[in-house]
Amino acid sequence: MAELPSIREPVQMTSAYSTVLPSYGTKRDVGKALLQTLGAPSNEIRDRKAPTDWSAALNMHVRLSDKDKNKAETQRDASNRLIKELDQKTKSKQAEINRRLQDRITTVAYWKQRLTTEHAAICQEITNLTMSKQKTQQALASTELPTEVSTNCLKNRENREAIDLVQDLVDDELINELNMLSEVQKLLSNRINDSDTRLRNLNDCKSNLEYDIRDKEECLRLDEHCYKLNNGSAGLQQIAQPSLYDGHTSTVDKHESFSQDNLEKSEIARVMSCLQRELNEFSINKSNDELQKQSELVGSMFRLRLKELTDAKTGLDGQLEKTNQEISSVEDSLHQLREALRSKDGPMKVATTRFAVRAKRPNVEQTRDYVHGGLLSEINDINGSQEALKQQIASAEETLHRLLKNKERLQQDIAIKKKSIQIDEQQCLRLRKTLSWRGFRPAGM
């Protein structure tokens, strides 16, 4: 702005004022004289500024105005730049947040997919282990019938009598079978308890996965909602203090490690469950094979014992038949001996009668002639024959008595053998055949 010219020349008075005003040497004096001429009181005359002061003030105001104007222009330019920079920064930040939200959605979706896949796997493993546990329970329940059969076989064999009540190989193997069944029952019970523990662990991992999946789904829902928000979205509100929401937050590493821990625990639980299923299957198969071998061994012992009993009974039957034949022979012999003894009664009576009649001969006729000697010899011979026959009859009767006693013993022993055979064959083996031995392996295994 051009500087205003300074007033250097004195003010030229008009002719009217010049005739009445005295001449003063300075401009100030002229002013005072003018005021006095106008009739103003001298004490009310105000201090006047010099034109230079007025020009200086004017120049100062102009400079201040220019300075303020320049400052305002600078401020306006700075404000415009700041607005543009902040707007660009806000847009960039919002775009960055959108990108990070998209990345976060992708990351959470990735973890959710892994968790969902693992959840499906652990659900399948729970089903598999549950089926394995049920098979083991069925196997354990199937040991009850073999245990009952073996116990009943031992009880039935206690009904054997006399000498046949022996602790034979059949009893030994039946006891071994019961001991083996008891061990198998303990083993399978432990496998069932272990399976229950594994199932509880699997269900805990499954619950953790489900909680994590639900959290991931909620997180995805919220982040996708946030990703869709823009400056023109409805329902926007301003949070006064966003820091208030940071108290429960976790770090990204903690977030990922949490899901990774759930996955690792679930995978470990599945591996342990798989091993448990294999152990269950191995225990069932091995126990079944061992019990089947033991059952076959018990059957072999029964058949061997039955053969021994049958052979013994056959031998006893043969001995009984021979004894019956011998008894019949001895009885026939006794009959002949008794007949022979009775047959001596006639000759004895004849001889003794003759001897008695001849003893009545008178006087000298009572001689010891050849007839007399012959009669005595005949009587003695007959007596000897009768005594010999009586001794033979006594001996035969004793023999017959022994044979009858032996026959009774043989019959008793045969009856005992029959009962033993009936117990082993009809009660025990027939009872064991009801098992139709497949072991205790449930159907479908």
Side-chain angles (χ1 to χ4, degrees):
M1 181 179 291
E3 187 177 355
L4 295 175
S6 61
I7 301 175
R8 298 181 181 274
E9 299 297 331
V11 178
Q12 299 294 327
M13 297 297 176
T14 62
S15 59
Y17 285 101
S18 63
T19 59
V20 295
L21 290 177
S23 178
Y24 295 96
T26 64
K27 295 176 180 179
R28 187 175 183 85
D29 292 338
V30 172
K32 288 181 179 181
L34 179 60
L35 288 173
Q36 290 175 358
T37 304
L38 294 174
S42 61
N43 57 353
E44 292 182 0
I45 297 175
R46 294 180 296 175
D47 188 18
R48 301 292 179 177
K49 301 294 188 288
T52 56
D53 294 335
W54 181 85
S55 298
L58 180 60
N59 291 332
M60 182 185 67
H61 290 162
V62 171
R63 285 195 301 272
L64 288 175
S65 177
D66 290 338
K67 182 178 180 181
D68 290 339
K69 181 176 68 67
N70 293 333
K71 185 176 181 181
E73 290 176 351
T74 303
Q75 181 68 32
R76 186 175 65 253
D77 294 339
S79 297
N80 290 333
R81 286 194 303 272
L82 180 62
I83 290 171
K84 291 180 180 179
E85 291 175 359
L86 293 178
D87 184 61
Q88 183 63 33
K89 182 178 180 181
T90 300
K91 290 179 179 178
S92 299
K93 193 66 175 178
Q94 194 174 72
E96 176 66 17
I97 294 300
N98 287 337
R99 185 187 63 79
R100 291 185 179 182
L101 274 173
Q102 183 62 46
D103 292 343
R104 189 59 184 165
I105 289 171
T106 302
T107 301
V108 174
Y110 163 76
W111 284 106
K112 176 180 173 292
Q113 179 60 37
R114 287 191 59 186
L115 291 169
T116 302
T117 302
E118 181 62 28
H119 180 266
I122 203 169
C123 287
Q124 183 61 46
E125 184 58 35
I126 289 174
T127 301
N128 293 340
L129 184 57
T130 300
M131 292 177 61
S132 176
K133 175 190 168 184
Q134 291 174 350
K135 291 178 182 179
T136 309
Q137 288 174 329
Q138 292 173 0
L140 178 59
S142 298
T143 61
E144 294 177 1
L145 181 59
T147 301
E148 182 181 355
V149 168
S150 297
T151 302
N152 289 336
C153 285
L154 284 174
K155 289 181 179 179
N156 291 336
R157 299 192 94 237
E158 288 296 315
N159 294 325
R160 294 173 297 168
E161 297 177 353
I163 193 62
D164 275 18
L165 186 60
V166 295
Q167 182 73 29
D168 54 11
L169 293 176
V170 176
D171 284 345
D172 292 340
E173 295 305 328
L174 283 172
I175 292 172
N176 290 338
E177 187 175 50
L178 283 175
N179 292 334
M180 190 177 295
L181 282 165
S182 177
E183 293 298 322
V184 167
Q185 288 171 344
K186 291 179 182 177
L187 175 64
L188 295 179
S189 295
N190 290 334
R191 295 291 176 261
I192 292 171
N193 293 333
D194 293 341
S195 297
D196 287 334
T197 301
R198 299 299 177 199
L199 281 172
R200 284 194 296 270
N201 192 16
L202 286 172
N203 283 313
D204 290 342
C205 293
K206 175 175 172 286
S207 297
N208 292 335
L209 290 174
E210 289 173 346
Y211 291 143
D212 203 356
I213 290 171
R214 283 198 295 269
D215 290 345
K216 295 290 186 293
E217 289 175 346
E218 181 65 11
C219 178
L220 283 174
R221 186 185 69 82
L222 295 174
D223 281 352
E224 287 174 353
H225 173 70
C226 291
Y227 180 76
K228 294 176 182 179
L229 290 177
N230 53 57
N231 296 335
S233 300
L236 298 178
Q237 58 181 352
Q238 184 172 352
I239 305 292
Q241 294 181 345
S243 60
L244 293 176
Y245 295 85
D246 293 338
H248 63 282
T249 57
S250 61
T251 62
V252 174
D253 292 339
K254 184 177 179 181
H255 171 271
E256 294 185 355
S257 64
F258 177 80
S259 296
Q260 184 65 35
D261 289 343
N262 287 336
L263 289 171
E264 290 177 356
K265 290 178 181 179
S266 178
E267 290 171 355
I268 292 173
R270 285 195 297 109
V271 170
M272 298 303 294
S273 174
C274 183
L275 293 176
Q276 184 64 50
R277 287 192 290 111
E278 293 177 355
L279 191 58
N280 291 348
E281 189 73 15
F282 174 78
S283 299
I284 291 173
N285 293 335
K286 182 174 177 60
S287 299
N288 177 75
D289 293 340
E290 291 179 353
L291 286 175
Q292 187 169 2
K293 291 178 182 178
Q294 182 63 27
S295 176
E296 292 173 354
L297 180 59
V298 172
S300 298
M301 293 299 103
F302 264 115
R303 289 188 291 272
L304 179 62
R305 184 58 179 167
L306 277 172
K307 184 177 184 305
E308 292 176 350
L309 290 171
T310 302
D311 291 343
K313 178 181 174 298
T314 301
L316 291 174
D317 287 337
Q319 288 295 324
L320 180 61
E321 183 179 358
K322 291 178 181 179
T323 300
N324 287 330
Q325 291 175 355
E326 191 63 29
I327 288 173
S328 178
S329 298
V330 170
E331 288 177 343
D332 291 341
S333 178
L334 274 172
H335 177 72
Q336 293 174 1
L337 288 171
R338 289 190 181 103
E339 289 295 327
L341 181 60
R342 281 193 299 270
S343 67
K344 300 301 180 186
D345 290 342
M348 175 60 78
K349 290 178 181 179
V350 172
T352 55
T353 300
R354 286 175 177 176
F355 191 80
V357 170
R358 294 189 82 239
K360 295 178 181 180
R361 290 177 298 168
N363 302 319
V364 73
E365 293 301 323
Q366 189 78 345
T367 58
R368 299 183 181 90
D369 51 13
Y370 292 112
V371 175
H372 179 79
L375 287 171
L376 287 176
S377 175
E378 183 181 11
I379 291 171
N380 289 332
D381 287 343
I382 291 172
N383 283 330
S385 297
Q386 287 178 333
E387 289 298 325
L389 288 171
K390 288 179 181 178
Q391 290 178 0
Q392 190 66 26
I393 288 171
S395 176
E397 287 177 344
E398 183 180 357
T399 299
L400 180 60
H401 179 73
R402 288 197 304 269
L403 288 172
L404 290 174
K405 284 289 186 182
N406 190 31
K407 176 183 178 180
E408 183 180 358
R409 285 194 299 269
L410 287 173
Q411 288 174 336
Q412 290 177 351
D413 204 4
I414 289 171
I416 291 171
K417 295 295 184 290
K418 283 183 178 180
K419 185 173 183 179
S420 297
I421 291 172
Q422 189 269 339
I423 289 173
D424 284 352
E425 186 174 24
Q426 301 299 323
Q427 297 181 17
C428 295
L429 277 181
R430 181 174 295 180
L431 186 62
R432 292 184 69 84
K433 286 179 181 179
T434 60
L435 293 174
S436 299
W437 185 260
R438 292 183 303 106
F440 50 81
R441 184 179 300 170
M445 290 187 60

